[in-house]
């Protein structure tokens, strides 16, 4: 596909990885200070000026507990902000990728969630991201909805950044063992989104590194990969870790529709090992 690609939320984990892969191509990457997606007029004007062929909409309010505390802001950003971007995409004649979440599900399914399983979010974050999916679908036909899970990258604060700086004396570290999902390398996701956007396979897709684990399993794998056998870990239940947002017990996704069009991601353990090699280098 030729023409300009726009990335929203370019200052975030995924946005930075998309920008790295689009470097040297016809692309405009916009962080929050360059494009606040809650400003409908600004969004429309900016995207009309650029006239992109593709918009990858990665900007969002992503603090799951923070969304619970400020539901109005979560709705304004994740639902209305997405509607603003989708309307501007429609007017510019652009295709759009909307990045959504595994937290649109309630976690009661036994086994991984498929693309057309029923949604039933438990949290303000999950609801407002689902409203974003619906808002974009109302406006656009040439739309990819890409649901992903538990992103990490070397940029910003995330699950891994805490563990890479831990001291043995900080232990035992307590991690929840009864919530599972797919830890996903933001670089792998960026590459898969760009591959998917080359197809005409519009609709809902799950894009995660293959396989799932718990927060505890993920932490154990990170510490093993970092060679930190000196840090003690303790497995706890979600009941022992109260938080503002309700989180699904099983939030594992399967990448069925993307695989059908040849877009695949490697297993999460392999992606994590290569990430650890990169940060060590
Ligand atoms: N992180 C995960 O584990 C995860 C899991 C499932 C799905 N997702 C989805 O994947 C996408 C990318 O996530 P990520 O991990 O890259 O998130 P991130 O690192 O938090 O990046 C999101 C970016 O959006 C920006 N943003 C927030 N409000 C904005 C606004 N009103 N206008 C413009 N930009 C705004 C943020 O800017 P500030 O930093 O200035 O706030 C941030 O740079 C999101 O759509 C998220 O919902 C993420």
């Amino acid at each position: 596909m030729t023409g300009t690609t726009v990335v929203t939320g370019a200052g975030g984990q995924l946005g930075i990885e998309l920008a790295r892969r689009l470097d040297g191509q016809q692309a405009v990457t916009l962080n929050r200070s360059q494009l606040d997606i809650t400003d409908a007029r600004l969004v429309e004007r900016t995207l009309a000026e650029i006239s992109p062929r593709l918009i990858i909409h990665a900007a969002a309010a992503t603090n799951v507990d923070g969304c619970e505390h400020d539901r109005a802001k979560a709705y304004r950003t994740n639902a209305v902000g997405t509607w603003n971007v989708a309307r501007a995409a429609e007017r510019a004649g652009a295709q759009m990728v909307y990045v959504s979440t595994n937290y649109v599900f309630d976690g009661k399914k036994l086994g991984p969630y498929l693309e057309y399983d029923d949604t039933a979010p438990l949290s303000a974050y999950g609801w407002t991201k689902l409203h974003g999916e619906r808002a974009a679908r109302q406006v656009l036909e040439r739309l990819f909805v890409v649901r992903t899970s538990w992103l990490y990258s070397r940029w910003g604060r995330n699950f891994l950044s805490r563990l890479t700086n831990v001291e043995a004396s900080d232990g035992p570290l307590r991690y929840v063992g009864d919530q599972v999902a797919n830890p996903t390398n933001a670089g792998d996701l960026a590459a898969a989104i760009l591959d998917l956007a080359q197809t005409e396979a519009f609709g809902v897709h799950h894009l995660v590194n293959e396989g799932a684990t718990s927060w505890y399993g993920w932490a154990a794998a990170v510490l093993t990969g970092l060679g930190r056998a000196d840090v003690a870990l303790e497995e706890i239940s979600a009941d022992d870790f109260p938080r503002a947002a309700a989180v699904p017990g099983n939030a594992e996704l399967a990448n069925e529709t993307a695989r059908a069009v040849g877009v695949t991601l490697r297993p999460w353990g392999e992606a994590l090992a290569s990430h650890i090699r990169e940060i060590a280098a």
Side-chain angles (χ1 to χ4, degrees):
M1 194 177 62
T2 54
T4 304
T5 298
V6 163
V7 175
T8 70
Q13 297 190 84
L14 175 60
I16 291 173
E17 291 294 341
L18 284 164
R20 292 175 77 202
R21 280 160 184 78
L22 288 165
D23 192 30
Q25 297 183 40
Q26 210 175 321
V28 181
T29 58
L30 300 167
N31 63 29
R32 186 211 278 257
S33 65
Q34 294 162 309
L35 183 68
D36 183 334
I37 58 162
T38 63
D39 184 338
R41 288 204 184 123
L42 176 68
V43 171
E44 166 141 29
R45 198 172 60 240
T46 306
L47 294 178
E49 274 165 17
I50 299 169
S51 190
R53 297 299 305 145
L54 172 67
I55 299 170
I56 305 178
H57 175 37
T62 58
N63 181 325
V64 175
D65 291 319
C67 287
E68 219 58 46
H69 292 301
D70 193 344
R71 288 165 175 247
K73 180 178 160 205
Y75 188 75
R76 210 163 48 240
T77 309
N78 295 343
V80 183
T82 298
W83 187 62
N84 291 338
V85 176
R87 286 181 65 220
E90 201 266 334
R91 287 179 189 174
Q95 301 180 7
M96 177 166 141
V97 176
Y98 169 59
V99 186
S100 189
T101 174
N102 52 344
Y103 284 6
V104 296
F105 296 114
D106 66 10
K108 293 185 183 143
K109 184 176 178 184
L110 298 176
Y113 281 95
L114 307 176
E115 290 79 358
Y116 300 106
D117 276 329
D118 289 340
T119 52
L122 301 177
S123 63
Y125 173 71
W127 269 115
T128 56
K129 292 293 294 184
L130 181 61
H131 287 146
E133 290 187 13
R134 291 175 180 165
R137 226 173 19 231
Q138 256 179 16
V139 177
L140 284 171
E141 280 173 14
R142 293 187 305 145
L143 170 73
F144 303 91
V145 171
V146 167
R147 298 194 190 121
T148 193
S149 152
W150 288 3
L151 290 184
Y152 64 88
S153 76
R154 69 166 85 173
W155 323 107
R157 282 187 62 239
N158 56 50
F159 183 81
L160 260 77
S161 50
R162 176 183 178 212
L163 287 167
T164 46
N165 296 315
V166 78
E167 304 286 341
S169 55
D170 295 337
L173 304 180
R174 304 168 84 225
Y175 282 98
V176 170
D178 52 2
Q179 287 170 349
V180 300
N182 320 70
T184 299
N185 182 310
D188 285 13
L189 173 61
I193 286 175
L194 293 172
D195 286 348
L196 183 65
Q198 295 297 322
T199 73
E200 295 273 307
F202 303 113
V204 179
H205 298 278
H206 292 172
L207 289 179
V208 287
N209 281 126
E210 295 281 345
T213 187
S214 64
W215 296 109
Y216 172 81
W218 189 12
V222 173
L223 290 175
T224 302
L226 292 169
R228 296 299 308 271
D230 57 324
V231 182
L233 265 189
E234 184 189 333
E235 182 170 354
I236 58 170
S237 136
D239 293 340
D240 300 324
F241 186 69
R243 51 185 290 191
V247 171
N250 168 33
E252 178 180 1
L253 302 182
N255 304 328
E256 292 297 322
T257 56
R259 191 182 357 263
V261 292
V263 178
T264 57
L265 287 93
R266 56 190 165 166
W268 73 266
E270 215 175 283
L272 177 64
S274 92
H275 175 80
I276 289 173
R277 276 195 304 276
E278 271 173 38
I279 55 173

